[in-house]
Amino acid sequence: MATVTPQALTRTVQDFLSGAAGAMVLENGAVAFDLAQSKYSISGEYNRCLLHLWSAERNSVRRVLDAEIKNGTLRLVVQRLGQARPSKLEICRERDRRTPTARRAARAAYELKLRRTLERNFPEFKITRLTGGVDLEKSFGPVYTRGLMRRGRSAFALLGVNAQETQSSVDAALTFGILWLDVCRQAQQANALVEGLKLFVPNGSSALVRERMANLNRDAAKWSLFELDERHDALVEMDCADRGNVATRLIHATDEEAARARFKDSIAQVRQVLPNCEVAVLSPAEIAFRWRGLEFARARVGGIPGSFQSTEEVVFGVGAEERVLEIRNVDEFAQLAQCLRDTRHPYGPRQNPLWRLRPERWLESLVVGDVNVVDDRLDSWCRYSQVPAFSAADRAMIDVLAITNTGRLAVVELKADEDLHLPLQGLDYWARVQWHHSRGEFPRFGYFEGRELSPETPLLFLVAPALHVHPSTDTLLRYLSPEIEWEFVGIDERWREGVKVVFRKRPERSATHGSELLYCRTS
C-alpha cells in the first residue's frame, strides 16, 4: 500500500463510511464496534488523520497511517495514541464476514444435519431432496435449506437456516418459508396436499419469527416452528398459538412542547443556518434536526466531566459521523447545510449520496406532514413518527402511528424501494401495537392525550411506490391472519414531489367461499 497524505486518508475513510451504514469495525480480528449502534468522527487536522469511534460500551481513537479498499472492506493501518507499533483495523460493509467457501461449507454441513434430524424426529415422513440452490425468479438464495416432507398424499413444505447465518437472516426465514410453501403447493397440486410449513431456526433465535407466525392465517396453512440445537442434535417445537405472548415494551411519549422550550436556543442556532429544517423530539434530553428526513444534527443535554452540572451541546454529521459544533467548525456546519439545501430536493442530483440517503425517512417526513395522503380517515393532527417498541429480538421503530377520526389506531409502514419483507415487517409492528393497545398502555404512556381510543384492533397501512412493489407481496399478504385489517397503498413514483395514491389493495372475504381475496381499485 502506497503512503498517502492525511487529507487523502481522511477523504478515503469518509467516503467509505458515508456509504456503509451498519458496517462492522474489527480490530485484530474481533468486532470492536457496530456502526449501526455506534458513532464516529474523522479529523484531518494538524497533518494527522484521526478516527474516533465510540459507543455506550467503549471509546477509542486511532491515527490512520494507510488505507486500502478491497472486496467491500476498508483495511486500515492504524496507530494507538502513545504507542509506536501500528496495528490493523478493518471496516466491513457485510455483517457476515465469512469467506464464500466457508459459507458454502457451513450450508452443506447443515443440509446433512437437517436431513438426519428430520429422519430421526419424523420417521413417518419421506424427505425429498433438500436444496439450498439459488432461484432468483422465485426470490430464493443459498442461505436457506428447502425441501418437502411427504406421508402418502399429505405433505409439508420445510425450510431451515443454520446457526452461522446472521440474526437478520433468521428473522427473515418466515418470509421465505411462506414463499416456499406457496411454490410447493403449486408444484404438488396433482400429487399431494401441502398442508403447511415446518420452519427450523437455530436454538435461542426464534423470538421474532414466533411473534410473526402467531399472526398468520391458520385456516390457510398449518404452521410449525422448531429450534434446532446443532451442537447437541436437539429439536424443540415452539408454541406459536398464543398471540398475546409478545415480548415488547413501550416507552413514554415525550412532552414535545417542553422539550422544544428547553432547546429553544439550539433550535434557533441551527435554523439560523438552515431555516425550515424539521425538528424531531427524541427524548426530554435530545432532539434531532432533519432536512427532508435526513438527520444532520442533534442537540442534547449531557454532563460536564468532573462535575454534577449539565450542559447543552449541538453535534452534526450525516449517518454515524458526529462532531461537536464549535467555533472552529462553524463553517463546516454551514457547508453541510448548504449542501443539503442544494442537493436534497425533489429535482436534485440523483447520483449525489445526500440525495439518495434515507429515502424512507424522506417519504416519512412527507406522510407525517399530511397523513391524509395515506387515507382520509386518519387524523392529521394526531400522529407520531419513529415510535420505539422494544422486544427481546430487536428495537423496532414504527414508522408512523396514527389514529382515525373515530379514534381507531393505525400503523403506517413505509418503503421507498422494493422490499420483499414489507408485509411481515408491517405485521410485526401491528402485533406490537395491538399488544400494547389491548392493555391500555398508549393513554397510560402519554400517547394521544385527550383522545379516546377505539377498542377495535389497529388498521395496518403498507405504503410503497407503485412500480417498486415486490412481485411476491400479494402471496405474502394472502397468508396474514384475517383478523388484521390491512390496506396496501401504492403511490406515484415521483413521491418526492408530493405523495399521490395510484392504487389500493384490501382483503375482502368472499361471501360464497369465505376465503381471502385481493381487491384492487384505482384512486
Side-chain angles (χ1 to χ4, degrees), residues 176-329:
F176 292 100
I178 293 172
L179 297 180
W180 178 240
L181 167 63
D182 203 65
V183 168
C184 290
R185 283 181 162 177
Q186 294 178 37
Q188 299 292 325
Q189 283 182 359
N191 303 318
L193 173 64
V194 182
E195 296 187 49
L197 170 71
K198 295 187 184 297
L199 188 62
F200 301 86
V201 300
N203 186 44
S205 68
S206 69
L208 187 58
V209 176
R210 190 169 65 248
E211 292 174 12
R212 291 175 174 177
M213 189 175 280
N215 289 286
L216 297 182
N217 189 342
R218 299 195 169 275
D219 293 329
K222 295 179 180 178
W223 310 101
S224 301
L225 176 63
F226 300 86
E227 284 192 354
L228 173 58
D229 185 340
E230 297 174 38
R231 182 183 296 272
H232 300 100
D233 287 334
L235 190 67
V236 178
E237 183 169 6
M238 312 306 294
D239 180 16
C240 298
D242 185 5
R243 292 182 182 168
N245 186 25
V246 179
T248 178
R249 61 184 177 87
L250 193 65
I251 68 167
H252 279 272
T254 302
D255 184 337
E256 293 203 7
E257 187 175 338
R260 288 171 182 268
R262 183 178 300 113
F263 288 102
K264 64 179 186 302
D265 292 339
S266 294
I267 293 173
Q269 180 184 12
V270 173
R271 282 189 161 167
Q272 186 176 5
V273 178
L274 190 55
N276 302 319
C277 66
E278 304 147 28
V279 178
V281 176
L282 306 179
S283 74
E286 192 168 30
I287 62 173
F289 298 94
R290 298 169 184 158
W291 183 254
R292 293 189 164 92
L294 180 62
E295 182 176 320
F296 65 94
R298 284 194 183 197
R300 62 195 180 199
V301 174
I304 299 176
S307 76
F308 295 102
Q309 296 180 324
S310 61
T311 184
E312 185 177 320
E313 67 178 8
V314 175
V315 296
F316 69 99
V318 173
E321 185 178 10
E322 183 177 289
R323 285 171 283 175
V324 176
L325 181 59
E326 301 170 322
I327 294 177
R328 64 188 180 89
N329 58 24

Side-chain angles (χ1 to χ4, degrees), residues 1 4-21 23-25 35 39-44 48-53 60 62-69 72-79 89-93 318-323:
M1 293 183 293
V4 291
T5 65
Q7 292 74 24
L9 285 172
T10 301
R11 285 196 300 272
T12 298
V13 178
Q14 283 178 330
D15 291 346
F16 183 88
L17 289 176
S18 66
M24 307 293 285
V25 181
L35 290 185
K39 293 289 186 179
Y40 73 87
S41 67
I42 307 166
S43 171
R48 295 190 303 174
C49 175
L50 293 180
L51 175 61
H52 182 194
L53 297 154
S60 69
R62 300 288 183 268
R63 180 181 179 183
V64 180
L65 304 176
D66 219 334
E68 178 187 38
I69 298 175
T73 298
L74 176 62
R75 299 176 179 177
L76 303 176
V77 176
V78 299
Q79 189 177 46
L89 202 71
E90 292 185 322
I91 304 178
C92 308
R93 284 198 178 103
V318 173
E321 185 178 10
E322 183 177 289
R323 285 171 283 175

Side-chain angles (χ1 to χ4, degrees), residues 443-455:
R444 197 162 68 246
F445 282 64
Y447 294 87
F448 305 107
E449 191 173 352
R451 294 294 301 271
E452 183 176 349
L453 299 183
S454 167

Side-chain angles (χ1 to χ4, degrees), residues 71 96-107 142:
N71 299 326
D96 186 348
R97 307 188 311 278
R98 295 175 297 166
T99 65
T101 301
R103 286 196 289 265
R104 286 194 296 269
R107 290 162 184 168

Side-chain angles (χ1 to χ4, degrees), residues 280-519:
V281 176
L282 306 179
S283 74
E286 192 168 30
I287 62 173
F289 298 94
R290 298 169 184 158
W291 183 254
R292 293 189 164 92
L294 180 62
E295 182 176 320
F296 65 94
R298 284 194 183 197
R300 62 195 180 199
V301 174
I304 299 176
S307 76
F308 295 102
Q309 296 180 324
S310 61
T311 184
E312 185 177 320
E313 67 178 8
V314 175
V315 296
F316 69 99
V318 173
E321 185 178 10
E322 183 177 289
R323 285 171 283 175
V324 176
L325 181 59
E326 301 170 322
I327 294 177
R328 64 188 180 89
N329 58 24
V330 165
D331 289 344
E332 292 179 38
F333 181 56
Q335 288 171 9
L336 173 61
Q338 185 64 46
C339 196
L340 287 170
R341 198 164 27 221
D342 292 344
T343 60
R344 198 168 174 85
H345 59 83
Y347 310 102
R350 292 171 177 258
Q351 299 307 313
N352 190 295
L354 289 178
W355 193 91
R356 300 197 310 269
L357 276 172
R358 305 288 193 273
E360 282 157 25
R361 284 293 184 90
W362 192 337
L363 176 57
E364 176 195 312
S365 70
L366 297 175
V367 170
V368 169
D370 183 10
V371 76
N372 281 145
V373 297
V374 173
D375 193 286
D376 56 14
R377 292 173 291 172
L378 298 179
D379 188 335
S380 293
W381 300 102
C382 211
R383 73 282 181 273
Y384 300 87
S385 64
Q386 294 296 305
V387 178
F390 301 90
S391 82
D394 68 341
R395 184 179 188 269
M397 300 295 286
I398 301 164
D399 286 344
V400 181
L401 180 64
I403 57 173
T404 66
N405 295 320
T406 58
R408 187 175 182 181
L409 284 170
V411 178
V412 183
E413 175 65 4
L414 306 165
K415 292 295 179 186
D417 296 306
E418 184 176 296
D419 193 326
L420 172 63
H421 304 289
L422 171 58
L424 291 200
Q425 285 180 356
L427 171 65
D428 177 30
Y429 301 148
W430 179 93
R432 299 184 195 198
V433 170
Q434 168 58 12
W435 194 90
H436 293 295
H437 177 48
S438 66
R439 286 154 181 77
E441 292 188 356
F442 284 106
R444 197 162 68 246
F445 282 64
Y447 294 87
F448 305 107
E449 191 173 352
R451 294 294 301 271
E452 183 176 349
L453 299 183
S454 167
E456 295 178 279
T457 59
L459 298 169
L460 173 61
F461 293 94
L462 304 172
V463 182
L467 298 182
H468 283 77
V469 179
H470 196 279
S472 298
T473 297
D474 283 357
T475 299
L476 295 167
L477 289 172
R478 283 201 301 269
Y479 286 98
L480 298 190
S481 169
E483 297 177 15
I484 300 171
E485 190 174 333
W486 58 263
E487 183 169 311
F488 195 99
V489 182
I491 59 175
D492 189 274
E493 297 296 311
R494 297 160 295 185
W495 54 264
R496 288 178 176 83
E497 301 173 25
V499 179
K500 297 179 182 178
V501 175
V502 175
F503 70 82
R504 299 178 187 272
K505 290 185 178 182
R506 301 188 184 99
E508 184 175 89
R509 186 170 295 279
S510 168
T512 55
H513 298 93
S515 59
E516 291 291 331
L517 302 176
L518 287 175
Y519 170 75

